[in-house]
Amino acid sequence: GQALLQALLKALWLARVRDSYLAQVFVDEATDFSAVQLACMAELAHPRVRSWFAAGDFRQRITAHGIRDASQLEWLANTIGLPQELERRAMVTAYRQSLPLRCLAEAMDGRPAGAALSAQVSDVADVADPLPLLKENLASDDVADWISERLEEIEDRSGTTPSIAILVDGDAQVDALAARLKPAVRRHSLSVVGCPGGVSIGEGAFVRVFDVRHIKGLEFEAVFFIGVDALERSMPDLFDRFLYVGVTRAATFLGVTCAGALPTRLDSVRQ
């Protein structure tokens, strides 16, 4: 009787393991996870199929423990015992960005294409797309008025109110900036809403304020990135990653502000 009970318990335990397997496993934003975490996710794939997919951009890794290069993927394949070499495919499709913003993103990534695009933009006398803006030494009390003036320029240029996001450093600043913005943008018939935790609230002509930590995967026509010099001080090790993610959320219009001077590590992209 005891042996039968043990066999039954073992069968139930194995059944729970079997029922946990998935036909396919797909991991998005894979570079935010460690190789060990990814290996655990891969073990969810049914052992007879081993169908595991992952997608991610090393330039957008915003965690300190996330995988850093392709060599860690090779470790992953060897560790979980894939029957064949892990197949890797490079996706080269660019973001839906204007030429000047693509130039900035590639220059921030240190790619040679950034320099080529920069020269292309500089050679065009009348660039069709707006250039990104940098505003230094902008006091916190003046941020709302500066953004309001830029929104007026955007409306005059585009003839409509596009999707707009404002990025700040930390959820604690979201509601505070939203409150300061409301009277400043009221004359544009716009509403401002804070989106703590990255929850996108409201529809239509809303100006949405986000913590930069919660905007991966989102896209807006216009983005204002507030206080990047303070962001560098608060997260020096991941600053470049968060800045890259924030900048690439903008499709057409981009404004970057600093309470003081632009961080010296960005001197190469100041132009």
mmCIF file of all heavy atoms in Angstrom, residues 217-242:
data_model
loop_
_atom_site.group_PDB
_atom_site.id
_atom_site.type_symbol
_atom_site.label_atom_id
_atom_site.label_comp_id
_atom_site.label_asym_id
_atom_site.label_seq_id
_atom_site.Cartn_x
_atom_site.Cartn_y
_atom_site.Cartn_z
ATOM 1 N N GLY A 217 8.623 50.033 -25.667
ATOM 2 C CA GLY A 217 7.544 49.504 -26.485
ATOM 3 C C GLY A 217 6.527 50.541 -26.912
ATOM 4 O O GLY A 217 5.699 50.267 -27.781
ATOM 5 N N LEU A 218 6.577 51.745 -26.336
ATOM 6 C CA LEU A 218 5.637 52.799 -26.704
ATOM 7 C C LEU A 218 6.247 53.687 -27.786
ATOM 8 O O LEU A 218 7.453 53.714 -27.985
ATOM 9 C CB LEU A 218 5.262 53.640 -25.479
ATOM 10 C CG LEU A 218 4.646 52.891 -24.298
ATOM 11 C CD1 LEU A 218 4.334 53.863 -23.160
ATOM 12 C CD2 LEU A 218 3.392 52.148 -24.711
ATOM 13 N N GLU A 219 5.384 54.412 -28.487
ATOM 14 C CA GLU A 219 5.844 55.311 -29.541
ATOM 15 C C GLU A 219 4.922 56.510 -29.623
ATOM 16 O O GLU A 219 3.703 56.383 -29.489
ATOM 17 C CB GLU A 219 5.879 54.596 -30.894
ATOM 18 C CG GLU A 219 6.411 55.461 -32.027
ATOM 19 C CD GLU A 219 6.345 54.770 -33.374
ATOM 20 O OE1 GLU A 219 5.281 54.866 -34.010
ATOM 21 O OE2 GLU A 219 7.340 54.134 -33.775
ATOM 22 N N PHE A 220 5.514 57.692 -29.850
ATOM 23 C CA PHE A 220 4.744 58.931 -29.927
ATOM 24 C C PHE A 220 5.318 59.790 -31.049
ATOM 25 O O PHE A 220 6.497 59.688 -31.392
ATOM 26 C CB PHE A 220 4.816 59.695 -28.602
ATOM 27 C CG PHE A 220 4.361 58.887 -27.408
ATOM 28 C CD1 PHE A 220 5.272 58.114 -26.710
ATOM 29 C CD2 PHE A 220 3.039 58.890 -27.013
ATOM 30 C CE1 PHE A 220 4.861 57.352 -25.627
ATOM 31 C CE2 PHE A 220 2.620 58.139 -25.931
ATOM 32 C CZ PHE A 220 3.533 57.370 -25.239
ATOM 33 N N GLU A 221 4.499 60.646 -31.590
ATOM 34 C CA GLU A 221 4.995 61.576 -32.597
ATOM 35 C C GLU A 221 5.947 62.588 -31.973
ATOM 36 O O GLU A 221 6.946 62.962 -32.569
ATOM 37 C CB GLU A 221 3.821 62.297 -33.276
ATOM 38 C CG GLU A 221 3.057 61.462 -34.284
ATOM 39 C CD GLU A 221 3.915 61.071 -35.477
ATOM 40 O OE1 GLU A 221 4.761 61.892 -35.896
ATOM 41 O OE2 GLU A 221 3.757 59.955 -35.978
ATOM 42 N N ALA A 222 5.609 63.038 -30.761
ATOM 43 C CA ALA A 222 6.431 64.044 -30.087
ATOM 44 C C ALA A 222 6.801 63.568 -28.694
ATOM 45 O O ALA A 222 5.950 63.052 -27.962
ATOM 46 C CB ALA A 222 5.679 65.375 -29.997
ATOM 47 N N VAL A 223 8.072 63.734 -28.333
ATOM 48 C CA VAL A 223 8.562 63.337 -27.014
ATOM 49 C C VAL A 223 9.411 64.470 -26.447
ATOM 50 O O VAL A 223 10.266 65.029 -27.144
ATOM 51 C CB VAL A 223 9.402 62.048 -27.080
ATOM 52 C CG1 VAL A 223 10.130 61.801 -25.766
ATOM 53 C CG2 VAL A 223 8.511 60.860 -27.412
ATOM 54 N N PHE A 224 9.166 64.787 -25.172
ATOM 55 C CA PHE A 224 10.008 65.721 -24.437
ATOM 56 C C PHE A 224 10.647 64.958 -23.290
ATOM 57 O O PHE A 224 9.955 64.402 -22.436
ATOM 58 C CB PHE A 224 9.184 66.901 -23.908
ATOM 59 C CG PHE A 224 8.587 67.758 -24.984
ATOM 60 C CD1 PHE A 224 7.284 67.561 -25.405
ATOM 61 C CD2 PHE A 224 9.334 68.750 -25.591
ATOM 62 C CE1 PHE A 224 6.733 68.340 -26.406
ATOM 63 C CE2 PHE A 224 8.793 69.530 -26.601
ATOM 64 C CZ PHE A 224 7.485 69.321 -27.011
ATOM 65 N N PHE A 225 11.968 64.936 -23.280
ATOM 66 C CA PHE A 225 12.733 64.198 -22.275
ATOM 67 C C PHE A 225 13.287 65.240 -21.307
ATOM 68 O O PHE A 225 14.175 66.010 -21.650
ATOM 69 C CB PHE A 225 13.866 63.426 -22.955
ATOM 70 C CG PHE A 225 14.347 62.232 -22.189
ATOM 71 C CD1 PHE A 225 14.805 61.101 -22.857
ATOM 72 C CD2 PHE A 225 14.362 62.218 -20.807
ATOM 73 C CE1 PHE A 225 15.263 59.989 -22.156
ATOM 74 C CE2 PHE A 225 14.816 61.127 -20.099
ATOM 75 C CZ PHE A 225 15.264 60.013 -20.770
ATOM 76 N N ILE A 226 12.762 65.258 -20.078
ATOM 77 C CA ILE A 226 13.045 66.330 -19.136
ATOM 78 C C ILE A 226 14.150 65.935 -18.156
ATOM 79 O O ILE A 226 14.112 64.868 -17.545
ATOM 80 C CB ILE A 226 11.769 66.708 -18.345
ATOM 81 C CG1 ILE A 226 10.612 67.016 -19.313
ATOM 82 C CG2 ILE A 226 12.034 67.876 -17.416
ATOM 83 C CD1 ILE A 226 10.906 68.134 -20.292
ATOM 84 N N GLY A 227 15.144 66.821 -18.012
ATOM 85 C CA GLY A 227 16.162 66.654 -16.987
ATOM 86 C C GLY A 227 17.096 65.488 -17.187
ATOM 87 O O GLY A 227 17.309 64.698 -16.268
ATOM 88 N N VAL A 228 17.703 65.381 -18.363
ATOM 89 C CA VAL A 228 18.574 64.232 -18.606
ATOM 90 C C VAL A 228 19.850 64.303 -17.777
ATOM 91 O O VAL A 228 20.469 63.270 -17.496
ATOM 92 C CB VAL A 228 18.909 64.078 -20.110
ATOM 93 C CG1 VAL A 228 17.653 63.830 -20.916
ATOM 94 C CG2 VAL A 228 19.663 65.283 -20.633
ATOM 95 N N ASP A 229 20.258 65.505 -17.362
ATOM 96 C CA ASP A 229 21.442 65.602 -16.511
ATOM 97 C C ASP A 229 21.171 65.024 -15.128
ATOM 98 O O ASP A 229 22.038 64.384 -14.524
ATOM 99 C CB ASP A 229 21.927 67.051 -16.412
ATOM 100 C CG ASP A 229 20.825 68.028 -16.026
ATOM 101 O OD1 ASP A 229 19.633 67.710 -16.214
ATOM 102 O OD2 ASP A 229 21.163 69.136 -15.547
ATOM 103 N N ALA A 230 19.951 65.203 -14.622
ATOM 104 C CA ALA A 230 19.591 64.592 -13.339
ATOM 105 C C ALA A 230 19.495 63.075 -13.479
ATOM 106 O O ALA A 230 19.849 62.334 -12.555
ATOM 107 C CB ALA A 230 18.270 65.167 -12.838
ATOM 108 N N LEU A 231 19.020 62.612 -14.628
ATOM 109 C CA LEU A 231 18.933 61.170 -14.871
ATOM 110 C C LEU A 231 20.320 60.538 -14.847
ATOM 111 O O LEU A 231 20.493 59.435 -14.316
ATOM 112 C CB LEU A 231 18.258 60.908 -16.219
ATOM 113 C CG LEU A 231 18.065 59.447 -16.603
ATOM 114 C CD1 LEU A 231 17.047 58.777 -15.699
ATOM 115 C CD2 LEU A 231 17.632 59.323 -18.074
ATOM 116 N N GLU A 232 21.312 61.230 -15.397
ATOM 117 C CA GLU A 232 22.667 60.684 -15.379
ATOM 118 C C GLU A 232 23.173 60.513 -13.951
ATOM 119 O O GLU A 232 23.841 59.530 -13.621
ATOM 120 C CB GLU A 232 23.622 61.598 -16.150
ATOM 121 C CG GLU A 232 25.032 61.032 -16.225
ATOM 122 C CD GLU A 232 26.068 62.074 -16.594
ATOM 123 O OE1 GLU A 232 25.886 63.250 -16.221
ATOM 124 O OE2 GLU A 232 27.077 61.707 -17.224
ATOM 125 N N ARG A 233 22.840 61.449 -13.091
ATOM 126 C CA ARG A 233 23.297 61.355 -11.701
ATOM 127 C C ARG A 233 22.572 60.248 -10.942
ATOM 128 O O ARG A 233 23.162 59.591 -10.082
ATOM 129 C CB ARG A 233 23.086 62.693 -10.989
ATOM 130 C CG ARG A 233 23.992 63.812 -11.491
ATOM 131 C CD ARG A 233 23.941 65.016 -10.595
ATOM 132 N NE ARG A 233 22.624 65.650 -10.591
ATOM 133 C CZ ARG A 233 22.242 66.584 -11.442
ATOM 134 N NH1 ARG A 233 23.082 67.004 -12.379
ATOM 135 N NH2 ARG A 233 21.048 67.115 -11.365
ATOM 136 N N SER A 234 21.303 60.017 -11.262
ATOM 137 C CA SER A 234 20.529 59.034 -10.509
ATOM 138 C C SER A 234 20.810 57.602 -10.954
ATOM 139 O O SER A 234 20.645 56.661 -10.174
ATOM 140 C CB SER A 234 19.026 59.329 -10.634
ATOM 141 O OG SER A 234 18.579 59.136 -11.963
ATOM 142 N N MET A 235 21.201 57.400 -12.198
ATOM 143 C CA MET A 235 21.505 56.042 -12.692
ATOM 144 C C MET A 235 22.683 56.087 -13.664
ATOM 145 O O MET A 235 22.506 55.880 -14.868
ATOM 146 C CB MET A 235 20.270 55.409 -13.337
ATOM 147 C CG MET A 235 19.606 56.249 -14.417
ATOM 148 S SD MET A 235 18.316 55.325 -15.293
ATOM 149 C CE MET A 235 17.122 55.075 -14.013
ATOM 150 N N PRO A 236 23.877 56.373 -13.168
ATOM 151 C CA PRO A 236 25.037 56.542 -14.067
ATOM 152 C C PRO A 236 25.358 55.310 -14.899
ATOM 153 O O PRO A 236 25.806 55.439 -16.047
ATOM 154 C CB PRO A 236 26.179 56.879 -13.102
ATOM 155 C CG PRO A 236 25.730 56.371 -11.766
ATOM 156 C CD PRO A 236 24.240 56.532 -11.755
ATOM 157 N N ASP A 237 25.137 54.116 -14.368
ATOM 158 C CA ASP A 237 25.514 52.902 -15.089
ATOM 159 C C ASP A 237 24.572 52.581 -16.246
ATOM 160 O O ASP A 237 24.985 51.970 -17.234
ATOM 161 C CB ASP A 237 25.567 51.710 -14.126
ATOM 162 C CG ASP A 237 26.673 51.851 -13.101
ATOM 163 O OD1 ASP A 237 27.632 52.586 -13.374
ATOM 164 O OD2 ASP A 237 26.562 51.246 -12.014
ATOM 165 N N LEU A 238 23.309 52.961 -16.117
ATOM 166 C CA LEU A 238 22.318 52.638 -17.148
ATOM 167 C C LEU A 238 21.809 53.882 -17.874
ATOM 168 O O LEU A 238 20.868 53.801 -18.664
ATOM 169 C CB LEU A 238 21.131 51.895 -16.526
ATOM 170 C CG LEU A 238 21.420 50.480 -16.010
ATOM 171 C CD1 LEU A 238 20.202 49.922 -15.287
ATOM 172 C CD2 LEU A 238 21.825 49.551 -17.145
ATOM 173 N N PHE A 239 22.436 55.006 -17.622
ATOM 174 C CA PHE A 239 21.970 56.263 -18.213
ATOM 175 C C PHE A 239 21.899 56.194 -19.731
ATOM 176 O O PHE A 239 20.902 56.575 -20.340
ATOM 177 C CB PHE A 239 22.890 57.405 -17.778
ATOM 178 C CG PHE A 239 22.679 58.677 -18.541
ATOM 179 C CD1 PHE A 239 21.533 59.435 -18.348
ATOM 180 C CD2 PHE A 239 23.626 59.130 -19.449
ATOM 181 C CE1 PHE A 239 21.333 60.618 -19.053
ATOM 182 C CE2 PHE A 239 23.434 60.297 -20.153
ATOM 183 C CZ PHE A 239 22.285 61.053 -19.952
ATOM 184 N N ASP A 240 22.978 55.706 -20.366
ATOM 185 C CA ASP A 240 23.016 55.658 -21.832
ATOM 186 C C ASP A 240 21.876 54.812 -22.387
ATOM 187 O O ASP A 240 21.302 55.141 -23.432
ATOM 188 C CB ASP A 240 24.354 55.102 -22.317
ATOM 189 C CG ASP A 240 25.515 56.035 -21.998
ATOM 190 O OD1 ASP A 240 25.265 57.237 -21.832
ATOM 191 O OD2 ASP A 240 26.653 55.545 -21.904
ATOM 192 N N ARG A 241 21.545 53.713 -21.696
ATOM 193 C CA ARG A 241 20.488 52.814 -22.163
ATOM 194 C C ARG A 241 19.130 53.497 -22.087
ATOM 195 O O ARG A 241 18.338 53.469 -23.033
ATOM 196 C CB ARG A 241 20.469 51.542 -21.318
ATOM 197 C CG ARG A 241 21.807 50.820 -21.268
ATOM 198 C CD ARG A 241 22.122 50.133 -22.578
ATOM 199 N NE ARG A 241 23.396 49.432 -22.518
ATOM 200 C CZ ARG A 241 23.830 48.620 -23.456
ATOM 201 N NH1 ARG A 241 23.100 48.400 -24.529
ATOM 202 N NH2 ARG A 241 25.001 48.032 -23.348
ATOM 203 N N PHE A 242 18.844 54.114 -20.929
ATOM 204 C CA PHE A 242 17.552 54.767 -20.766
ATOM 205 C C PHE A 242 17.417 55.973 -21.698
ATOM 206 O O PHE A 242 16.336 56.248 -22.217
ATOM 207 C CB PHE A 242 17.339 55.198 -19.312
ATOM 208 C CG PHE A 242 16.798 54.109 -18.433
ATOM 209 C CD1 PHE A 242 17.620 53.438 -17.552
ATOM 210 C CD2 PHE A 242 15.461 53.746 -18.517
ATOM 211 C CE1 PHE A 242 17.122 52.423 -16.746
ATOM 212 C CE2 PHE A 242 14.958 52.736 -17.718
ATOM 213 C CZ PHE A 242 15.778 52.076 -16.834
#
